[in-house]
Amino acid sequence: VRAQVPSAATLLDVGCGTGRHLVEFTAAGFDCVGVDASPEMLTTARARVGDTSLVEGDLRGFDLGARFDVVVCLNGTIGYMTTSADLVDAIGNLARHVGDGGLLLVEPWFAPAQWLAPMVTAESAKDGDVAVARVSRAIEEDGMGMFERLCTIATPDRTWSFTEVHRLGLYELDEYLAAFETAGLSAVHESLAPGRGLGILNGRRPPASLPS
Ligand SMILES: C[S@@+](CC[C@H](N)C(=O)[O-])C[C@H]1O[C@@H](n2cnc3c(N)ncnc32)[C@H](O)[C@@H]1O
């Protein structure tokens, strides 16, 4: 972000989840706002981000009535747009919140060929007095990537389990780039290390033209 927009001061994180990126961006000197559709995520974020402004809203429809130097949508959140029309609407709405000369940075979800399904995974982790184990199955269903995940949590007081199901759209790089173009942004794709999905999409809004 600094390399592309050195003067950037304001940053909007859409699909901010539990606010970990907001903490980092704030520490880096940005004046931040977070948006997420999930009240539970925002409650967790609230405990983490101090007085940073948090707003409940959907990618496709939120309207803050403000534009930012930088808008980010990270960690595959855009994949929750499960139709091409929703993808275009979401990128369009993110772009509407980017000021003149600003940056829209999107970390896409997997492309169809990168979705290695069917697959099962198992993971566990422990942090202090909390231990978590989770198993997942991933399949392709109706052209979407679906994964179902069973999590079991242990603390000294109790153990409990829950299951979550996620359905995400699998789009080609070209489809993302076309959505940026439709939104009036010129987009550049940046590859990351192998295994890091589709990399990063950087969309720039041209600076306001100078008065003649
Ligand atoms: C994979 S998490 C990413 C969270 C955070 N950006 C990160 O990198 O850790 C996806 C987030 O997107 C949110 N989300 C899912 N669908 C959404 C939608 N339609 N509009 C806004 N947020 C949405 C979820 O509530 C969740 O917090």
Side-chain angles (χ1 to χ4, degrees), residues 13-18 20-21 35-38 41 57-60 73-77 80-81 107:
D13 182 0
V14 185
C16 63
T18 61
R20 280 180 182 265
H21 286 117
V35 169
D36 201 283
S38 158
M41 287 290 193
D58 186 280
L59 273 166
R60 292 153 289 192
C73 185
L74 300 174
N75 208 1
T77 297
Y80 285 99
M81 302 297 100
E107 189 177 15

Side-chain angles (χ1 to χ4, degrees), residues 11-14 16-28 30 32-35 42 45 49 52-54 72 74:
L11 184 145
L12 173 65
D13 182 0
V14 185
C16 63
T18 61
R20 280 180 182 265
H21 286 117
L22 286 172
V23 170
E24 299 297 330
F25 282 124
T26 301
F30 292 98
C32 295
V33 176
V35 169
L42 291 175
V49 302
T52 296
S53 173
L54 297 173
V72 300
L74 300 174

Side-chain angles (χ1 to χ4, degrees), residues 124-148:
S124 64
K126 182 172 165 321
D127 185 7
D129 268 353
V130 182
V132 179
R134 68 182 197 187
V135 290
S136 305
R137 72 181 182 98
I139 61 168
E140 192 169 333
E141 192 177 69
D142 303 327
M144 281 180 278
M146 187 287 268
F147 61 93
E148 182 179 37

Side-chain angles (χ1 to χ4, degrees), residues 158-180:
R158 65 186 187 112
T159 59
W160 73 99
S161 297
F162 61 89
T163 301
E164 48 183 35
V165 175
H166 297 262
R167 288 191 175 77
L168 292 107
L170 302 170
Y171 303 105
E172 302 288 357
L173 177 58
D174 284 353
E175 199 164 353
Y176 282 111
L177 294 175
F180 273 71

